[in-house]
Amino acid sequence: MVAETAREFEALEEQARTLLGVFIKAGHEAVAPAVIQPADVYLDVIGESLRGRSYVFLDPDGDELCLRPDLTVPTCRLHIERHRNGDRPAKYCYNGTAFRFQPVGAGAAHPREFRQAGIESFGIADREKADAATLALVFEGLRTAGLKDFKLRIGDLGLFRALLEAADMPARWRQRLMHQFWRPDAFRTELMRLTQSPADTPGGVPNELLAQLDPEKPDEAVQLVSNYLDSEDIEIVGARTVGEVTDNLLMVVADQRAEPLSPRTAALISSYIGVTAPARAAGARLKDLMGSEGVDISDALDAYHRRLQLLTEAGVDVVHADFSAEFGRTLEYYTGFVFEVIVPMLGEASPVAGGGRYDKLIRMCGAPHDVPAVGGAVHTERLLAAVRG
């Protein structure tokens, strides 16, 4: 699907100009983020799925760089360069190339070099309103470019996070389950493990050392671990520090002393993950599910319903949209509302557009605190193929 002829290239350029025209008219500033990016930023934020598919290399100075696998992170970095704290409201749009490794035989809809035309919005406190405006603008761009037959799929990591916060479990288990959210099999394995034996003793670590460590005395634990490593002449491999090794061991100790996760709580989380329904019906189903267990996530549900209402008012057809509780896209920096636009000829594995909310990404890119942020991007090669039919 990569442009191979001058005519194909011009068709993609014309399509991109159409999309950017829509985005600029809506108040987004056109920018051109750098293609080459610091690898450490990407490898920390994009998640396991794309980490191994990023093109990473060393420059002559020994700095680790990468070809951008998306344009959201570069736009975040551009915003921070302009506004150090990252919290000044701003809206950007772009059209550029992204790069992701694809195995041989991945198909024309999954090239290693592809284009994204997208929008990003920072610093808008009314999250649901910004979510709805972003998706509505993406829809407007798609329709203006000639796309007619498409389906909306949505998810909401804010609902899932609210459920974890309401559930009776240690904070470290919430972090662990949140981390595994994007890997369904690993998530279910971890959830089951927490109901049985939450702690896995690291290989080679004697029980005598673990018995001496007290999660309430982290400084003392660091010294104990350091003394043990010295006495056994063990050298830490890689970039980890003694403090980081100790933190991991203290979590093991805390898990060993904790009661397993309640099977009832695990069943509720599992039931939530399994919810798939039309978008409007999903909210009622989730409310009933939580009510049956006395769990209150009403604030997150109110935000979900308000967003649907705002989308409807913006002209987005949510009646035929599908909600999936375990849908979170493939990029692990998302924190709330997520969406993908599906066309029948390409299928769910090749969305023509997608995006969502990522309130922690600006801080992960260097800002001093979290900043409300949401965006969406169109895969222009797929869009052109879908428009042509």
Side-chain angles (χ1 to χ4, degrees):
M1 200 172 291
V2 177
E4 298 178 350
T5 67
R7 181 176 297 178
E8 189 81 2
F9 178 81
E10 180 54 36
L12 286 170
E13 286 295 297
E14 178 60 30
Q15 183 175 250
R17 286 193 291 268
T18 298
L19 291 168
L20 286 181
V22 171
F23 300 155
I24 292 170
K25 184 178 179 181
H28 291 257
E29 177 190 353
V31 294
V35 173
I36 297 176
Q37 295 284 321
D40 58 345
V41 175
Y42 265 107
L43 300 183
D44 285 344
V45 305
I46 60 177
E48 295 178 13
S49 175
L50 289 184
R51 192 175 295 131
R53 295 167 53 200
S54 298
Y55 288 97
V56 179
F57 59 93
L58 295 177
D59 71 5
D61 289 333
D63 293 327
E64 192 174 36
L65 305 172
C66 71
L67 298 177
R68 61 190 184 196
D70 83 339
L71 274 80
T72 297
V73 173
T75 306
C76 288
R77 296 188 64 247
L78 181 150
H79 180 64
I80 295 171
E81 289 172 4
R82 294 184 174 188
H83 312 291
R84 185 173 175 273
N85 290 331
D87 53 0
R88 179 174 297 183
K91 297 191 292 184
Y92 304 105
C93 63
Y94 50 75
N95 169 48
T97 308
F99 306 84
R100 297 177 189 175
F101 170 77
Q102 302 289 353
V104 175
H110 296 268
R112 297 181 179 182
E113 177 180 342
F114 59 97
R115 295 183 178 216
Q116 287 185 339
I119 52 176
E120 311 293 346
S121 176
F122 303 116
I124 299 177
D126 190 332
R127 287 168 170 80
E128 292 76 48
K129 188 174 182 179
D131 293 345
T134 295
L135 179 53
L137 187 56
V138 169
F139 268 34
E140 182 181 349
L142 294 174
R143 291 194 180 102
T144 303
L147 188 65
K148 298 178 180 178
D149 185 16
F150 55 89
K151 179 85 172 180
L152 175 62
R153 183 188 188 197
I154 66 172
D156 192 338
L157 282 81
L159 288 169
F160 177 62
R161 188 173 284 104
L163 170 57
L164 292 184
E165 289 296 328
D168 183 17
M169 70 175 75
R172 64 185 180 277
W173 292 1
R174 296 189 183 101
Q175 295 173 358
R176 210 174 296 171
L177 290 171
M178 195 73 236
H179 174 70
Q180 298 293 5
F181 177 85
W182 288 268
R183 291 162 287 278
D185 291 341
F187 177 87
R188 290 175 173 81
T189 298
E190 181 68 17
L191 185 62
M192 180 60 66
R193 190 177 69 82
L194 291 177
T195 66
Q196 299 172 348
S197 177
D200 285 333
T201 302
V205 179
N207 288 325
E208 302 82 55
L209 173 62
L210 293 175
Q212 297 178 61
L213 302 182
D214 185 348
E216 301 298 322
K217 300 177 180 179
D219 292 338
E220 179 181 305
V222 170
Q223 189 59 53
L224 288 168
V225 172
S226 180
N227 292 342
Y228 171 77
L229 295 174
D230 289 342
S231 67
E232 298 295 321
D233 197 25
I234 298 174
E235 183 178 351
I236 295 179
V237 178
R240 293 186 302 169
T241 65
V242 173
E244 290 170 335
V245 171
T246 304
D247 287 343
N248 289 334
L249 293 178
L250 288 176
M251 284 193 289
V252 170
V253 172
D255 284 351
Q256 287 179 336
R257 300 175 184 178
E259 290 294 323
L261 183 67
S262 160
R264 188 168 182 173
T265 298
L268 174 61
I269 295 172
S270 182
S271 295
Y272 168 84
I273 289 294
V275 171
T276 300
R280 287 203 177 278
R285 186 173 300 182
L286 291 173
K287 181 179 180 180
D288 290 344
L289 176 63
M290 298 302 140
S292 68
E293 294 297 325
V295 173
D296 182 11
I297 62 167
S298 56
D299 288 347
L301 283 170
D302 288 346
Y304 174 83
H305 286 296
R306 178 169 181 257
R307 185 187 302 113
L308 290 184
Q309 182 59 37
L310 289 168
L311 284 168
T312 299
E313 293 172 1
V316 176
D317 178 14
V318 298
V319 173
H320 298 98
D322 291 329
F323 170 87
S324 172
E326 67 175 358
F327 170 56
R329 308 205 70 224
T330 56
L331 291 158
E332 295 183 22
Y333 52 63
Y334 287 115
T335 59
F337 171 64
V338 288
F339 69 89
E340 284 183 346
V341 178
I342 311 298
V343 295
M345 68 173 288
L346 295 176
E348 290 189 1
S350 305
V352 75
R357 174 156 293 279
Y358 50 90
D359 288 349
K360 297 182 180 299
L361 185 54
I362 286 284
R363 178 172 54 82
M364 296 167 77
C365 288
H369 45 67
D370 295 345
V371 174
V374 62
V378 177
H379 193 303
T380 54
E381 283 95 344
R382 293 176 186 166
L383 174 59
L384 182 62
V387 170
R388 287 177 170 178

